[in-house]
C-alpha cells in the first residue's frame, strides 16, 4: 500500500514538474491560468487532472474538443512515480528520502527546461544548493572528504571554458559535495556515459554534429544512478 501511495505522490509531483517546465519555457505564471486544454483552452476539472489515470480514462484526448493530448506529461508522471518508489526502496521513508526525491524532482524540472531552451536558471541552482546543504547537515556527511573532488572539478571547469555551460558546471559542483571521491567519479562517469550514448545514437541518425546537447538530463541520470546503485554513500 505504501508503495502505491509513494508512486502516486511521485506521479503528482511529476505532473506539476511538467507544467512548471512548460510554463517556465513559455514565460507564463505557474498559478494563472489554471490547468486547461492547450487546444480549446477549456479549464480542466478535477477528474481530468488525476495523474496517469485521467490520460488513460480519456484515451489521450480532451474531454471537450477531443483533440489529442500530448503524452509527454504522462511519461513524466510515470518516470517521477517510479523514481520515488525506487528511492523509497533504496533509502526507506525518512528525511534523506524526502531530500533526495526533492533534489531529483528539481533536476527533472531543470532537465525539461534545458531540453527545450538549453537554459539553466539561477533560482533552480540555489534550490539545489540549499537542499545539498540540508542533506549534508542531516546525514552528517564529512564535507572535507568531498573537497578534493570539488577542487579538481573547479580546475576542470575553468579548463573546459565554453565547452560546457556555466549552469552545468555549477550544478555538478554542488552535487559533488554529497559524495566521497569514489562516488564523485562514478557520478561524473555515469553522466558522461549517458550523454555519449545519446550523442552516438543521434549522430547515427543524422543529427547535426554542431548542435550542442543539453547536459542537465545526463547530470540527473548520473545522480540518480549513484543514489540507486550506491545509496549515495
Amino acid at each position: 500500500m505504501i508503495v502505491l501511495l509513494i508512486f502516486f505522490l511521485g506521479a503528482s509531483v511529476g505532473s506539476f514538474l511538467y507544467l512548471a517546465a512548460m510554463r517556465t519555457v513559455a514565460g507564463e505564471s505557474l498559478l494563472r491560468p489554471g490547468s486547461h486544454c492547450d487546444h480549446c483552452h477549456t479549464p480542466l476539472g478535477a477528474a481530468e487532472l488525476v495523474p496517469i489515470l485521467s490520460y488513460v480514462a480519456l484515451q489521450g484526448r480532451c474531454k471537450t474538443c477531443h483533440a489529442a493530448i500530448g503524452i509527454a506529461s504522462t511519461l513524466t508522471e510515470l518516470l517521477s512515480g517510479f523514481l520515488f518508489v525506487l528511492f523509497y526502496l533504496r533509502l526507506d521513508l525518512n528525511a534523506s528520502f524526502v531530500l533526495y526525491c526533492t533534489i531529483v524532482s528539481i533536476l527533472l524540472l531543470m532537465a525539461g527546461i534545458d531540453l527545450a531552451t538549453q537554459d539553466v536558471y539561477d533560482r533552480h541552482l540555489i534550490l539545489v544548493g540549499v537542499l545539498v546543504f540540508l542533506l549534508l547537515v542531516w546525514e552528517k556527511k564529512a564535507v572535507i572528504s568531498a573537497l578534493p573532488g570539488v577542487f579538481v572539478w573547479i580546475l576542470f571547469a575553468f579548463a573546459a571554458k565554453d565547452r560546457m555551460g556555466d549552469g552545468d558546471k555549477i550544478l555538478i559542483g554542488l552535487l559533488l559535495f554529497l559524495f566521497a571521491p569514489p562516488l564523485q567519479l562514478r557520478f561524473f562517469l555515469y553522466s558522461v556515459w549517458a550523454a555519449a550514448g545519446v550523442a552516438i545514437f543521434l549522430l547515427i541518425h543524422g543529427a547535426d554534429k554542431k548542435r550542442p546537447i543539453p547536459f542537465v538530463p545526463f547530470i540527473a541520470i548520473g545522480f540518480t544512478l549513484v543514489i540507486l546503485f550506491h545509496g549515495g554513500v
Side-chain angles (χ1 to χ4, degrees), residues 14-15 18-19 22 36-40 44 48 50-56 58-63 65-78:
S15 180
Y18 181 81
L19 173 69
M22 293 302 99
H36 57 274
C37 173
D38 292 334
H39 300 278
C40 65
L44 301 181
E48 299 169 89
V50 180
I52 303 170
L53 297 180
S54 290
Y55 184 87
V56 175
L58 294 170
Q59 298 182 336
R61 294 190 174 276
C62 173
K63 183 179 179 181
C65 69
H66 306 294
I69 302 171
I71 198 173
S73 176
T74 302
L75 292 177
T76 304
E77 293 164 2
L78 284 168

Side-chain angles (χ1 to χ4, degrees), residues 157-166 169:
F158 275 111
K161 295 183 179 180
D162 297 332
R163 296 179 183 177
M164 180 181 290
D166 291 338
K169 296 174 184 176

Side-chain angles (χ1 to χ4, degrees), residues 2-22:
I2 183 66
V3 171
L4 287 176
L5 290 175
I6 289 174
F7 177 82
F8 184 75
L9 172 62
S12 300
V13 170
S15 180
F16 171 77
L17 293 174
Y18 181 81
L19 173 69
M22 293 302 99

Side-chain angles (χ1 to χ4, degrees), residues 23-142:
R23 293 201 175 186
T24 299
V25 169
E28 298 175 350
S29 168
L30 297 183
L31 302 177
R32 293 186 178 85
S35 296
H36 57 274
C37 173
D38 292 334
H39 300 278
C40 65
H41 303 289
T42 301
L44 301 181
E48 299 169 89
L49 293 172
V50 180
I52 303 170
L53 297 180
S54 290
Y55 184 87
V56 175
L58 294 170
Q59 298 182 336
R61 294 190 174 276
C62 173
K63 183 179 179 181
T64 303
C65 69
H66 306 294
I69 302 171
I71 198 173
S73 176
T74 302
L75 292 177
T76 304
E77 293 164 2
L78 284 168
L79 174 61
S80 184
F82 279 122
L83 285 177
F84 270 52
V85 170
L86 291 174
F87 273 48
Y88 163 68
L89 295 175
R90 189 69 173 87
L91 302 169
D92 207 352
L93 197 59
N94 50 41
S96 293
F97 163 78
V98 173
L99 290 169
Y100 277 118
C101 281
T102 305
I103 289 177
V104 167
S105 296
I106 296 173
L107 291 179
L108 287 176
L109 171 61
M110 296 175 70
I113 294 172
D114 194 28
L115 284 169
T117 66
Q118 297 186 358
D119 287 331
V120 175
Y121 287 80
D122 291 342
R123 60 180 178 270
H124 298 147
L125 292 173
I126 292 172
L127 279 174
V128 171
V130 170
L131 290 165
V132 166
F133 173 77
L134 292 175
L135 258 175
L136 291 173
V137 173
W138 172 255
E139 296 190 340
K140 299 178 181 179
K141 290 180 178 286

Side-chain angles (χ1 to χ4, degrees), residues 197-210:
V198 171
I200 291 171
F201 175 84
L202 292 175
L203 287 174
I204 291 174
H205 288 79
D208 185 356
K209 296 180 180 180
K210 296 182 179 180

Side-chain angles (χ1 to χ4, degrees), residues 141-171:
K141 290 180 178 286
V143 180
I144 192 169
S145 66
L147 292 181
V150 174
F151 179 71
V152 170
W153 175 250
I154 291 173
L155 294 178
F156 175 85
F158 275 111
K161 295 183 179 180
D162 297 332
R163 296 179 183 177
M164 180 181 290
D166 291 338
D168 299 334
K169 296 174 184 176
I170 294 172
L171 180 59

